[in-house]
Amino acid sequence: MHSLVVIAKSIIFTNLLITKPTKMKKYFSFMNLKTLGLFVGYCFLIICFSACTKTNDSSPQITYSNIAGINATESGLFDFYINNSRAGNGLNPGDVVGYFSVLPTTNTVTFNVASTSSYVATSNLDCTAGSFYSAFLGDGGSIVTAEDDRTAPQTGKARIRFVNMSTYLTGPIDFGATGGSKIITGIPPKSPTIYFEVDPAMTSISGYNAGTSTPLFSIPVSMQAGNVYVFYVAGTTNGTLTGKLLKQL
């Protein structure tokens, strides 16, 4: 079958050489109708023969990894790079860029001061095929990376994880619905939590010093059933503490 494809291609090439184009334009050559008819016929033969040989194609198919970048700082504009290629520029606090498909190997993520070559932080991320990851830039020039769970939550629920990116909150903190029970306790800084299934009717999230009942902050949120979220905290002082809810799915 392979030899038939080679013969057909040879016939086409020969006919194109001996048939002089009737008109020329820059970048294009126009064949006469007779040559065009032969060309179409031979192309049909090649397509048919090639279709037969495709079943023997054992080339491996790559399943990519996926990376998103998040500016989780109190303030500042930053550019996001993956393997020295700029993936997002001028990210404001709370901005997300991605996901970007990358090879399932060790990839380097970097945040630069916007429109400069001055990097703020860089980190290596070991990626697995088919997985999704987030790279958070936090206050103090730190990067936190986490693998994301993008499977749908239970019916009627939302899924959420938390991460403390603040340099002011240096001890463990708790998270919970404002005026309600705590969802997770004792989370150290720069440590993303696991995901939790929650009632999407929750309208506000509070953060507490671990083991206390007086909120450090309370942030209005709006969630929908079936979606997946991350809630991060930023701030360098008590007066600038803030939180933001981001949708991941």
Side-chain angles (χ1 to χ4, degrees):
M1 186 68 70
H2 176 70
S3 59
L4 290 175
V5 174
V6 173
I7 292 171
K9 288 180 177 178
S10 299
I11 295 172
I12 293 173
F13 183 69
T14 303
N15 274 278
L16 291 177
L17 287 178
I18 64 176
T19 305
K20 187 176 181 180
T22 59
K23 187 176 181 182
M24 295 291 293
K25 285 189 177 180
K26 190 176 182 182
Y27 307 126
F28 296 95
S29 62
F30 294 83
M31 297 174 290
N32 61 39
L33 293 179
K34 180 180 178 182
T35 307
L36 182 59
L38 289 172
F39 181 77
V40 172
Y42 295 141
C43 280
F44 179 76
L45 288 174
I46 289 176
I47 291 171
C48 292
F49 294 147
S50 297
C52 294
T53 61
K54 280 182 180 179
T55 56
N56 297 323
D57 184 6
S58 57
S59 300
Q61 300 298 311
I62 297 176
T63 301
Y64 291 94
S65 306
N66 306 275
I67 300 177
I70 302 167
N71 178 359
T73 66
E74 175 186 295
S75 62
L77 291 175
F78 301 97
D79 297 339
F80 178 57
Y81 288 79
I82 301 175
N83 299 327
N84 297 318
S85 294
R86 188 164 62 182
N89 59 290
L91 301 184
N92 287 288
D95 282 352
V96 181
V97 61
Y99 296 90
F100 295 94
S101 294
V102 296
L103 291 175
T105 181
T106 300
N107 292 278
T108 302
V109 292
T110 304
F111 287 89
N112 282 13
V113 175
S115 302
T116 75
S117 58
S118 175
Y119 80 85
V120 177
T122 187
S123 178
N124 290 329
L125 181 56
D126 295 326
C127 300
T128 325
S131 295
F132 291 78
Y133 302 88
S134 289
F136 299 83
L137 175 66
D139 296 320
S142 59
I143 291 180
V144 171
T145 59
E147 184 174 351
D148 300 333
D149 181 356
R150 286 170 53 82
T151 58
Q154 300 176 40
T155 302
K157 294 288 187 179
R159 182 180 292 130
I160 189 171
R161 80 180 331 163
F162 303 91
V163 58
N164 170 19
M165 301 300 296
S166 167
T167 55
Y168 174 75
L169 299 174
T170 57
I173 59 175
D174 304 338
F175 291 99
T178 302
S181 59
K182 293 182 178 179
I183 300 171
I184 181 69
T185 60
I187 302 304
K190 312 302 191 319
S191 298
T193 70
I194 62 173
Y195 286 87
F196 299 90
E197 305 267 314
V198 296
D199 184 348
M202 185 187 309
T203 58
S204 184
I205 293 176
S206 292
Y208 311 78
N209 283 320
T212 67
S213 57
T214 302
L216 295 168
F217 58 84
S218 294
I219 305 297
V221 295
S222 177
M223 292 188 284
Q224 292 182 338
N227 291 337
V228 179
Y229 301 91
V230 58
F231 182 88
Y232 76 82
V233 181
T236 58
T237 67
N238 182 52
T240 60
L241 280 178
T242 186
K244 185 157 188 176
L245 183 74
L246 301 173
K247 180 181 172 184
Q248 291 188 317
L249 176 66

